[in-house]
Amino acid sequence: MASFSIPLTGLNADSTALNTIANNLSNMNTTGFKAKSVNFSDLFYQQVGTAGSGDPIQVGAGTKVGSIETDFSNGSPNSTGVDTDVALQGSGFFVVSDGATQFLTRAGNFTTDSNGNLITANGLKVMGYPGVNGVVNTNAALAPINIPEGQVEAPSATASFGMTAVLNSSAPAGSSISGPAPVFDSLGNQYAATVTYTKTGTNAWSYNITLPDTLTPAAATPANVKYAATPTMTTKLPNDIYTYDFASSNGALATVDGTATLTINGTTIGIPPAGELVSTLEGQINTAFPGSAGLNNGVLTVTVPTGTPVVNGIVQSMAGSTLSYNFGTNSGQTATVDPTTNISITGQKADLSTATIIVPAVAPGEDIGTYAASLTTALNNAGIVGVTVQGSVATGSLTITGANMSTTGSVTQEPVAAASANGTLKFDADGNLISPGTNLSGITFAGLSDGAAPLNLTWDLFGANGKGNITQVAAATSAANTAGSVSNYTGDGFASGTYSGFTIGSDGTVTATFSNMQNLKVGQLALGQVANLQGLNDLGNGDFQATLNSGTMSIGTSGTAGLGTMQGGALESSNVNISAEFSDLIVAQRAFEANSKTITTFDTVTQETINMIH
């Protein structure tokens, strides 16, 4: 009966509307969610007659859901501060893949998997244009965006350096001024190339470039070094009290050498393994002679009856270390020590007190062997025991070994010679550099002590605008005797660095940062778009799939071809409007109630018709 079927179609359509509204409200906090709305359309009509004018008289059969449209307008971006989050504003979708099929999504709450791939919350890989050696190729095929988590960026040798220098034209001939320029070798070690300017005449200066090769020790290696002196023993009446003072060197954590023995009343107490703690020795003594040993603040006392001999006392053993400096050879020549070397050694004297050597002076051209002998003499003069210094001219190595030893300062190799590192600078009457007329190339430093490849440098004498970085002016009266000033050191190259994080730019470029303050572009997020958004197949989890009706997916980058822009460290919120949804909810509810009332009315009419029989 049409009286019942027509309102039933209304109930079905209203139920779909209510379900859609409920789904919208339940996804108010879903990242990138797009609200949907239901559109109704009427069903076919049955002609029951014609009017006098011949116009058809038709009765409708009800309603149906004509379409459910998705609102693809932007949700508000909310800042999260999370590196892996990105909000998209404007047209387009992020492109994601399961490895076989590409999908679209607006949900930018990404994370990384165990391999460093950027993935969605449901595990799909985020696709983009790959970056190779920091260069993104937007003509390449899409690939998963990979974040170099835990990776180390290789060092890069310096190729060019520069500085700003203002030389004093009023300075007397022979005046000089120096300035360092930081450079890196192929292994990532940093040096300070020194440029020295010397006034030679009117509008003329000479320059000289050197590279002091400062060495740092290799990691200290443990060494078992026996302390050279037996701790002090004293005798007191009526009992003999023998005191072993370890307080000044690690106290109760001091260890006992494995070759020492202690004999009390004819009983020898063996000291088993090397490195045994003094506190363990105390227990061994008390086991053999209860109550005779005590340990307080690192001082071990042994009390025995008068006349009882104590022989072969305890020898302390302490952890030592070995520091190694490898000079190697400088271009086949014997490596020499620079006078700026200032290493200092602190160690223990025979009475367990500490002392520090007076840093020995270094003569120009002094080799490793001579310097090692000077350090040994300084140790002897300071009374430091248990520390040895060895230097080998043949291998260019210096080793310092000792117990309870520490060092400060550095050992510096004589400056490495540079090819074409000397020359003349000439200036015109206005103080502008006129010779050399171009940047200087071919400055080579070879024979670096760390075994790195030779440094081949270009000195940037001129800026990008062609103006010289080195100028000459007359100094103020108060600075008339100074040679000038040097500042603004520049240079490329860098040391190695570990991954520390990444950012996503407004154009989707993913840039990894490293501990060496370097940035590396690892890729660029791709954006996809289709001609008919309503033709997309909604898969859930914020994912959409292109269909024949939506049209083929077109791929591009942020800000091009009408595509939107991105905001890193933020997420696009749901675009559900709660006020509008509540209004639609009321309308759908009233429509459902009206259709229900229609069925109730038809039921009453039907009941009255049946009652007519009676």
Side-chain angles (χ1 to χ4, degrees), residues 74-365:
N74 292 328
S76 300
N78 295 320
S79 178
T80 64
V82 179
D83 289 343
T84 52
D85 288 345
V86 56
L88 178 58
Q89 294 291 284
S91 300
F93 300 81
F94 300 112
V95 181
V96 296
S97 173
D98 61 0
T101 305
Q102 291 181 349
F103 305 96
L104 300 171
T105 185
R106 294 281 296 199
N109 51 327
F110 304 139
T111 186
T112 54
D113 62 17
S114 58
N115 295 319
N117 293 315
L118 201 62
I119 60 173
T120 65
N122 58 319
L124 299 179
K125 289 183 174 64
V126 181
M127 307 298 286
Y129 298 102
V132 179
N133 296 325
V135 178
V136 176
N137 182 9
T138 56
N139 293 319
L142 295 189
I145 296 293
N146 186 267
I147 309 299
E149 295 178 339
Q151 296 184 24
V152 176
E153 184 181 30
S156 176
T158 298
S160 64
F161 74 96
M163 62 180 65
T164 299
V166 180
L167 305 179
N168 182 6
S169 62
S170 303
S175 300
S176 65
I177 184 174
S178 299
V183 296
F184 294 86
D185 65 19
S186 60
L187 297 179
N189 289 316
Q190 185 176 17
Y191 306 84
T194 301
V195 181
T196 301
Y197 305 89
T198 303
K199 181 74 175 293
T200 58
T202 303
N203 297 333
W205 294 72
S206 67
Y207 66 85
N208 173 260
I209 307 175
T210 58
L211 187 79
D213 192 353
T214 301
L215 301 178
T216 54
T221 54
N224 187 24
V225 181
K226 184 187 298 184
Y227 195 74
T230 301
T232 304
M233 295 180 286
T234 60
T235 301
K236 294 182 180 180
L237 297 176
N239 294 321
D240 292 335
I241 301 177
Y242 297 85
T243 303
Y244 303 85
D245 187 355
F246 298 96
S248 62
S249 56
N250 297 327
L253 295 180
T255 57
V256 181
D257 186 69
T259 64
T261 58
L262 179 64
T263 301
I264 300 177
N265 201 22
T267 300
T268 297
I269 301 175
I271 313 299
E276 178 181 73
L277 288 174
V278 173
S279 57
T280 304
L281 173 62
E282 176 199 16
Q284 291 175 326
I285 297 173
N286 282 328
T287 297
F289 299 93
S292 62
L295 182 63
N296 184 24
N297 293 326
V299 178
L300 176 68
T301 58
V302 180
T303 304
V304 296
T306 303
T308 301
V310 177
V311 300
N312 208 11
I314 307 166
V315 180
Q316 183 178 358
S317 174
M318 297 178 292
S321 60
T322 299
L323 302 180
S324 299
Y325 299 83
N326 180 25
F327 276 54
T329 56
N330 179 8
S331 301
Q333 304 298 319
T334 300
T336 54
V337 183
D338 189 82
T340 61
T341 292
N342 61 348
I343 189 170
S344 178
I345 302 172
T346 299
Q348 285 190 327
K349 302 170 67 174
D351 61 1
L352 296 182
S353 64
T354 59
T356 302
I357 67 168
I358 297 175
V359 177
V362 179

Side-chain angles (χ1 to χ4, degrees), residues 358-409:
I358 297 175
V359 177
V362 179
E366 184 172 308
D367 62 37
I368 292 288
T370 304
Y371 182 64
S374 298
L375 284 178
T376 300
T377 299
L379 289 170
N380 293 335
N381 291 340
I384 296 175
V385 296
V387 178
T388 59
V389 180
Q390 292 182 325
S392 172
V393 175
T395 62
S397 62
L398 176 72
T399 58
I400 303 173
T401 302
N404 280 6
M405 171 196 71
S406 62
T407 64
T408 59

Side-chain angles (χ1 to χ4, degrees), residues 535-574:
L536 289 172
N537 183 21
D538 196 336
L539 304 176
N541 289 316
D543 299 327
F544 297 89
Q545 185 175 20
T547 65
L548 289 175
N549 196 43
S550 70
T552 304
M553 184 192 311
S554 60
I555 306 296
T557 57
S558 174
T560 64
L563 294 171
T565 59
M566 304 182 201
Q567 179 179 340
L571 290 175
E572 181 186 5
S573 61
S574 169

Side-chain angles (χ1 to χ4, degrees), residues 471-559:
T471 58
Q472 180 189 240
V473 298
T477 303
S478 59
N481 294 324
T482 64
S485 62
V486 181
S487 61
N488 298 331
Y489 310 111
T490 62
D492 54 12
F494 48 83
S496 62
T498 56
Y499 168 82
S500 59
F502 75 94
T503 58
I504 299 177
S506 60
D507 64 348
T509 299
V510 182
T511 304
T513 57
F514 295 82
S515 60
N516 56 3
M517 307 303 293
Q518 297 299 309
N519 299 322
L520 182 69
K521 294 180 180 179
V522 298
Q524 185 175 7
L525 297 182
L527 294 182
Q529 185 63 292
V530 295
N532 176 22
L533 293 175
Q534 300 303 325
L536 289 172
N537 183 21
D538 196 336
L539 304 176
N541 289 316
D543 299 327
F544 297 89
Q545 185 175 20
T547 65
L548 289 175
N549 196 43
S550 70
T552 304
M553 184 192 311
S554 60
I555 306 296
T557 57
S558 174

